[in-house]
Every structure is written in structure tokens, then in C-alpha cells.
Amino acid sequence: MLVIKGLSKRYADKVVYENIDLTFDKGISVLLAPNGAGKTTLMNMLVTIAKPDKGQILYNDKDIYKLGDSYRKILGYLPQKVGYYKNYTAYENLMYVAALKGLREENADSIINMYLDKFGLFEVKDKKVKGFSGGMLQRVGIIGALLNEPEILVLDEPTAGLDPKERVRLKKILSDLGKERIIIVSTHITSDIEFIANKIVMIKDRKILHDDKVDTICSKYNGKIYEVFLDANEVAEFECNNYVLMQQYENNKVKIRFFMDEGADINYRSVIPNLDDVFVCEYKDCTGSEGVLE
Amino acid sequence: MKLYKEEIKKTFKTRLSLGVILLIILIQVCAVVASYSKLRDNCKDVKKYNEYANAYNGTLDESMVDVNDIRLMENDFYHRKDDTVEDYFYQQYLASICRAKQVEKIGDNVNIPKYYNAIGINCMAQNLTSTVTSFFVLVGIIFIVLPVYSKDRENGMDYIIYTSYLGRKEICKVKLWAAYVLVGLWVTIYYLFSFMLYVGVFDCYDMLTIPINSIGCLLLCPLRINVLEYFILGYVLLLISSFAYTSVMLFVYARVNYTVFCIGAGVLLIILPMFLPKNGILGRVTCILPSVFGKADLIIGNAVSINIFGHEVLLAYFGAVVLLTATMMINLVYKKTFWIGRVDL
């Protein structure tokens, strides 16, 4: 179990976290926040690249900074910008990562080949990665993070650059891996994790906004999300008076999905809130320009 | 062991590094071939020259053995451009004998006048023990060591390295040793290749065992060594200066984020000492900087020694001790501060 206790962090004059507490158990935990909210900062602290100003991060009741190398031995990390050597083949890149993780050459070879096969890269393993697509590079990065069979897997925006097929493949693999290890994923794309996350951590204004299961978080918006069909000329006026989450054209009408805290018109159809609705509602005040920390 | 291999491999996978190395070697080949085509006619008539030399058999006097005599003869020769061939060889021969005797009574070749065709050795000495070699070797080092560092940051690998078990624990040590192994390999290949090239092209294998002081173009060497030993000593000096330079460069690479700045800092460190005045205290001090120290002529010539507490110490010994100490000091600081500016710890 990975526990964050009373953690505070600031960069220069910007406070990123103020006295937060979190617990990560086996399974997939997702850090969900808009760009600039401090997801990567938290990730950096979890992988010992950055250190909190106050508070502790404990793994099995031991401070991870005191554990040092023994903590990093059971850690797998995929940074936001996937690292690779352009002139190396996929196999050579992974062999280098395997060397960093202290794997023996013969073991590394079989593990790398197994994952290359699992992630659909076996056929291109001897090709230089400079010719790879973003999705292929992302997969190479994920394999690198998995090579040491980590107990804690930290993935910063793992689905960035992946096409829908690759996203499905990754989600399936993460689901499998999450059965026996702690997986912490950061993202701002809710559809990637809605159905595989064991819990969602939403961050806002230096604090933890929600730390619960998807259903529990969504249920807080029960009776507050509605849908209505309008004529095209009515949309502008409606938008002025309501917080619109989504609009879609259907049979010459516009389907509007919106948030209304109370007193909804009986003509509006109440719908089951999803994570997208929660995300948009919770961060409606955020400009998305806080990217300095990302 | 495997991580060392992976770090060393980076240089061999970098086209820029390989390109620069090949270019330097190509320039060296051209330099040797150009020297040979210019001087090859002078290499052939050894028999004839020895006949000239034989004419002076028994006429040499040990009383002439003095450094000042040698310098006078050399100056005299350079001023008299209309010398006959005989005069030239007599002076060369006499100077050689005097040089050899100045160091010690060598005996073997002192009393029998013999002309050594040392043109190849002269060319080799002028190349391998000069600024040219130290310049090329040190420029090569910039590009050889660069991939071990800059590739990590440029390709976003540093975060993976810092969060890996062996990465954090070993990376500093591994990178240091990988850099030194690469540099040692480069200096050895460059020096040995150049040496073999000169010996082969000028066919001067027989010259390797003659006293270094019997080589005409060189200034007096206070050590009793032969040509081969002189070049071995030159290699050791170059190796020491290269390791010192590598340490400084590693220090720079670990702190500078952009490749172009790394290269700029490296080139500045090579070129700057070359343009500093060589006279007086500053001149003596700059002799110890890698790019100047890399010239093996520190063991010959006028600036061979410095006075330390009343003792004359050969600059090469002094420089070697200073550079090795500096290398160790830089390594210690480097190991302690390797993470600064890279990781928020």
C-alpha cells in the first residue's frame, strides 16, 4: 500500500499541493485533473524524482525516499515524454532500459520479446524507433516500465498518441496488470479510464477534490445532469442560461446535455451522469492554462 | 557490466561522433601522406649521406659537448642558407652526437659517425608531440563523450534513468568509467595509428631505438631515452591530459542542457590555453592545462622544468601530478553534485 500523508509542495511562489492525504491500493488509481493542476508533480514525487516540502510518502509504512534503491527496484515509470534513443531499434532501447533495471541479459531478452509480442511490436523490434508512430513509441515506453515486473506502476498520460485500437489494447493490459499491483495513471481524458479505474483521484486548487470509485463520484451528480432536444435557433439562448456539457445534432434537432443544480424543468430528461460530466462540471472554472507545472 | 556496455554503445551509435572521429583520422592520413610526398626525396640517399659522415670519423671532440654549442650550431645553420650538403650533415651529425653525449655517455653510436635518416621521426615528432595532435585528440573527446550525456536529456531518457534501480545507483559511476574507457580507447587508437602510419610510410622502424637527442629537429631532452620511449612518454602525457580534459568536460556536460553549449565550452577550453602567452609564470601555468600539456615536447626544450623550493622539477612530472590530482578532485565534486539541476531533490 502506498500512502501519502500531509504532503505539501510548492515551486517558487506557486503552491501545488497543500497538506494532502491519499492512499493507493492494488488496482488502477487514476489522477484526473486538467492540464497544469499538478498531476505530473505528484507523479514525480511518487517516483522519487521530486521531494515533497512537507509530509511523507510511505510504501508498506516505510518512507520511499529512505527506501531509495529498494523502492525504485519495484517501481515502473512511464514519463509524460517517453524517453527513447532515436538511432536505436525498439529492442535495443528496451535492452538499455533492462540494463538500467539490473536485469540479466538472458532474462531481459525473453521478457522483452514477450512484451513486444503482447504489445504488437514483435515484427518491428529490429527497426529504428525514429520511424515509429507516437502510439508505437508509447507502447515501447510502457514495455520499458513493465520490464522489471514492478509492484508499483506509474504511468503519466499513457494513452497520449494512441489510436482507439491501441487504447483498447492498453486498457485491457492495464486491467490485467492491476489485479496484482498498484497502478497509478494520470490523465485528463476520462473516457480512457472510466471503465477500468478502481478509483479516481480528482485534484483541484492544491487539494484532493474526490478520492473514490467512479460510480460514487458520478452518483454525486445524480439528478443534476439533463438532456433536451432543441431547434438550432434556440441553442444560443439556452447556452446563456445553462451550463452546457455537450451538444450533438440529431434529426434536425440539437441534443443538449447540461448541468442544472436544482429546479429543472419537467421537459428536461434527467440522465445518468458519467465521468465526463463530472470532470466538466468540477473544472468549469479552470482555464486550462495552468500548464506551467506540466 | 552490461550498463557499461550500453553507455559505451551510445557513442558508436551516434553518427556525429563517428563522423568527427573518421574526419580526424582522415586528416591525419592526409598529413602523413603530404609530409611523405614533400620529403620522400630526402629519405633515399642514406648511403651517400653516410659517406659524407664517414669523412668526419675520429674528428669529433667531446669538449664540444655543451648545450650552448648545440644551440650555436643550430642557429648558425639556420642563418647560412647556402650551406653545402656536407656542411649540413656535419652539423646534423655533430649536433646529434653532442645531444646524445649531453645526457650521458651513451657510447654505442657516439664515436662512429653515422647518418640516421630521421626525417620520418622528425615529421612524427612534429605531429604527435605538437599542438596539432592534442587539438585533434581533445576535439575528438568532445564528440566521443557527448553521446554518453546529451542523448539522455535530448531524448527524454533521464527520467527513466533516475527512476530505475541500477540507474540511480550506478549511473554516475558507469558514465564516468564509460567516458574514460572511450577516451582511453580513442587516444590509443589515434596515437598508435598515427605512429604506425609514420613508421610505415617513412620506413623508419630502425630509428626507434636511437637516442632521442640524436634527432636533429628536436631540442635537448634531459632524459636518457630513445625514440620509442620518447613517443611512449608522449602517449602517457597525452593520455593524462585527455583524462583531465574529459573530467572537466563531464563536469560541464552534467550541468549544461544543450549540446551546442557543451561543444562550445569544450572547444573554448582547448583553444584558449593555446593563445595564452607562454612566457613567465602564466606560461608555465598554462603548460599544465590539458590542451597544452598534451604536447609531448614538455619533456624537451627550454621550458622543461620549474623551480619548486629550490629544486628543478621536470614540467612533465609536475603537470602529470597536477592533472591527475585535478582529475580526482573534479570526479569527487562531480559525483557529489551529479544530480543538482537535474532532479528536484
Side-chain angles (χ1 to χ4, degrees):
Chain A
M1 187 188 287
L2 195 61
V3 179
I4 294 175
K5 267 188 185 171
L7 182 143
S8 298
K9 178 75 183 171
R10 66 184 301 153
Y11 282 117
D13 57 345
K14 183 167 171 93
V15 178
V16 189
Y17 289 107
E18 204 173 328
N19 198 27
I20 63 163
D21 296 306
L22 271 175
T23 301
F24 298 104
D25 266 324
K26 278 182 185 171
I28 301 172
S29 304
V30 178
L31 299 179
L32 189 63
N35 286 332
K39 298 190 295 290
T40 298
T41 301
L42 186 57
M43 291 264 173
N44 284 346
M45 287 189 278
L46 289 171
V47 298
T48 73
I49 286 174
K51 210 170 183 177
D53 298 329
K54 274 184 194 169
Q56 280 184 309
I57 303 175
L58 306 169
Y59 179 63
N60 291 342
D61 298 326
K62 286 175 188 158
D63 192 311
I64 61 166
Y65 297 95
K66 286 182 184 155
L67 285 171
D69 289 335
S70 55
Y71 174 70
R72 285 184 280 271
K73 195 173 184 178
I74 50 116
L75 180 72
Y77 177 50
L78 175 78
Q80 198 171 33
K81 188 193 168 205
V82 180
Y84 56 89
Y85 296 117
K86 282 179 276 188
N87 287 329
Y88 281 28
T89 63
Y91 182 82
E92 285 170 336
N93 264 296
L94 291 168
M95 277 306 259
Y96 179 70
V97 177
L100 286 171
K101 292 180 179 245
L103 267 68
R104 292 175 64 180
E105 204 160 343
E106 55 274 21
N107 290 350
D109 179 71
S110 58
I111 293 171
I112 289 169
N113 283 327
M114 185 264 287
Y115 276 118
L116 282 168
D117 190 37
K118 203 168 181 177
F119 279 80
L121 291 171
F122 191 80
E123 300 298 318
V124 291
K125 71 170 190 170
D126 294 323
K127 292 200 169 150
K128 288 187 177 174
V129 295
K130 64 182 172 187
F132 279 21
S133 68
M136 289 162 91
L137 288 172
Q138 197 74 357
R139 278 184 275 163
V140 173
I142 293 165
I143 295 173
L146 292 171
L147 285 179
N148 57 328
E149 302 289 343
E151 288 174 29
I152 301 167
L153 185 60
V154 179
L155 307 170
D156 200 351
E157 311 268 2
T159 52
L162 297 184
D163 63 30
K165 194 178 156 194
E166 287 164 342
R167 280 167 194 247
V168 170
R169 194 205 309 254
L170 177 65
K171 282 191 262 187
K172 190 174 173 299
I173 290 168
L174 288 182
S175 291
D176 290 343
L177 293 170
K179 287 172 195 162
E180 49 199 38
R181 38 173 76 78
I182 299 168
I183 299 182
I184 302 165
V185 181
S186 90
T187 187
H188 55 270
I189 305 166
T190 52
S191 58
D192 285 341
I193 39 81
E194 186 159 14
F195 301 107
I196 59 163
N198 295 85
K199 79 163 182 172
I200 304 280
V201 176
M202 292 177 88
I203 304 158
K204 191 182 179 185
D205 296 334
R206 311 185 291 270
K207 299 277 186 190
I208 303 302
L209 189 66
H210 295 295
D211 174 15
D212 225 323
K213 290 181 176 172
V214 178
D215 293 344
T216 313
I217 293 173
C218 290
S219 67
K220 290 174 184 168
Y221 279 80
N222 278 345
K224 294 179 181 180
I225 308 295
Y226 297 90
E227 274 181 5
V228 64
F229 283 88
L230 299 173
D231 291 326
N233 57 2
E234 296 171 321
V235 173
E237 192 191 343
F238 187 86
E239 273 185 319
C240 291
N241 301 320
N242 297 284
Y243 189 68
V244 174
L245 304 170
M246 189 197 76
Q247 61 183 47
Q248 187 182 10
Y249 283 85
E250 258 184 47
N251 303 325
N252 297 326
K253 287 275 188 181
V254 184
K255 186 169 92 175
I256 306 270
R257 190 178 177 100
F258 65 101
F259 167 79
M260 184 170 272
D261 206 5
E262 53 191 22
D265 193 303
I266 52 162
N267 294 324
Y268 302 151
R269 185 166 66 94
S270 177
V271 290
I272 298 167
N274 60 28
L275 206 51
D276 255 338
D277 301 325
V278 176
F279 187 88
V280 177
C281 289
E282 292 293 2
Y283 298 110
K284 61 187 171 189
D285 304 327
C286 295
T287 58
S289 60
E290 302 92 327
V292 283
L293 298 171
E294 296 287 335
Chain B
M1 183 62 200
K2 198 166 167 288
L3 198 53
Y4 284 87
K5 200 174 83 183
E6 294 291 339
E7 289 297 336
I8 288 170
K9 197 167 114 182
K10 284 180 188 171
T11 297
F12 293 97
K13 291 287 243 176
T14 308
R15 279 188 198 161
L16 179 67
S17 304
L18 294 179
V20 170
I21 290 167
L22 287 176
L23 185 68
I24 290 173
I25 288 175
L26 191 67
I27 291 171
Q28 183 70 326
V29 172
C30 292
V32 177
V33 172
S35 301
Y36 181 69
S37 21
K38 193 177 159 191
L39 299 166
R40 64 184 161 192
D41 291 339
N42 301 30
C43 303
K44 291 174 184 168
D45 299 326
V46 179
K47 253 187 184 175
K48 196 170 78 182
Y49 298 154
N50 270 323
E51 283 171 20
Y52 292 132
N54 264 323
Y56 299 95
N57 196 354
T59 62
L60 294 170
D61 186 351
E62 282 192 21
S63 65
M64 299 177 74
V65 177
D66 184 78
V67 178
N68 293 327
D69 289 338
I70 298 166
R71 288 188 186 132
L72 272 176
M73 275 190 287
E74 280 171 346
N75 287 336
D76 198 30
F77 169 70
Y78 288 126
H79 293 142
R80 289 162 58 198
K81 301 286 178 195
D82 58 341
D83 277 3
T84 62
V85 177
E86 276 188 61
D87 280 343
Y88 170 76
F89 286 108
Y90 174 65
Q91 281 170 329
Q92 287 280 303
Y93 167 75
L94 197 60
S96 300
I97 300 295
C98 291
R99 286 163 188 284
K101 283 196 164 195
Q102 181 68 28
V103 184
E104 202 170 313
K105 307 282 185 295
I106 288 174
D108 293 344
N109 59 353
V110 169
N111 295 317
I112 304 161
K114 187 181 175 189
Y115 172 72
Y116 288 100
N117 173 19
I119 289 170
I121 302 293
N122 275 341
C123 290
M124 181 153 68
Q126 280 166 15
N127 183 300
L128 280 187
T129 65
S130 69
T131 312
V132 179
T133 284
S134 61
F135 177 79
F136 280 131
V137 165
L138 298 187
V139 165
I141 287 173
I142 296 175
F143 291 92
I144 283 170
V145 177
L146 197 62
V148 178
Y149 285 85
S150 68
K151 291 279 161 193
D152 296 343
R153 260 166 295 169
E154 279 179 8
N155 297 316
M157 280 298 285
D158 45 354
Y159 275 20
I160 292 171
I161 290 169
Y162 303 149
T163 55
S164 301
Y165 166 60
L166 272 184
R168 180 71 66 92
K169 194 178 169 188
E170 292 269 315
I171 198 71
C172 190
K173 195 173 85 183
V174 167
K175 280 183 183 292
L176 259 176
W177 284 108
Y180 286 136
V181 166
L182 282 166
V183 166
L185 207 63
W186 161 237
V187 174
T188 306
I189 288 171
Y190 180 90
Y191 204 87
L192 196 65
F193 173 75
S194 303
F195 183 82
M196 302 295 279
L197 199 62
Y198 271 107
V199 170
V201 169
F202 283 92
D203 190 23
C204 50
Y205 179 78
D206 293 343
M207 304 292 105
L208 299 179
T209 51
I210 65 171
I212 190 65
N213 281 320
S214 58
I215 302 299
C217 77
L218 300 176
L219 295 170
L220 191 67
C221 175
L223 304 170
R224 186 198 167 186
I225 49 175
N226 63 28
V227 169
L228 185 64
E229 288 162 344
Y230 173 73
F231 282 108
I232 289 172
L233 201 56
Y235 166 73
V236 173
L237 292 185
L238 187 63
L239 208 56
I240 291 169
S241 73
S242 298
F243 285 149
Y245 180 75
T246 306
S247 293
V248 178
M249 285 317 294
L250 295 183
F251 202 70
V252 174
Y253 287 159
R255 277 152 189 80
V256 178
N257 281 326
Y258 300 99
T259 304
V260 68
F261 289 152
C262 294
I263 295 172
V267 172
L268 201 68
L269 199 67
I270 298 170
I271 291 177
L272 206 61
M274 291 179 177
F275 289 100
L276 289 173
K278 295 288 174 289
N279 301 323
I281 296 169
L282 194 61
R284 296 287 170 100
V285 171
T286 54
C287 274
I288 296 160
L289 293 174
S291 53
V292 182
F293 184 75
K295 298 156 46 180
D297 56 12
L298 271 183
I299 46 180
I300 55 170
N302 296 324
V304 290
S305 59
I306 55 168
N307 193 302
I308 298 175
F309 301 119
H311 298 281
E312 286 293 313
V313 179
L314 199 65
L315 201 56
Y317 293 155
F318 179 70
V321 171
V322 170
L323 286 189
L324 286 173
T325 312
T327 305
M328 282 190 281
M329 296 290 283
I330 292 169
N331 281 348
L332 283 175
V333 178
Y334 165 84
K335 276 185 181 176
K336 274 198 165 182
T337 62
F338 181 73
W339 306 104
I340 292 175
R342 292 177 154 233
V343 181
D344 171 33
L345 283 176

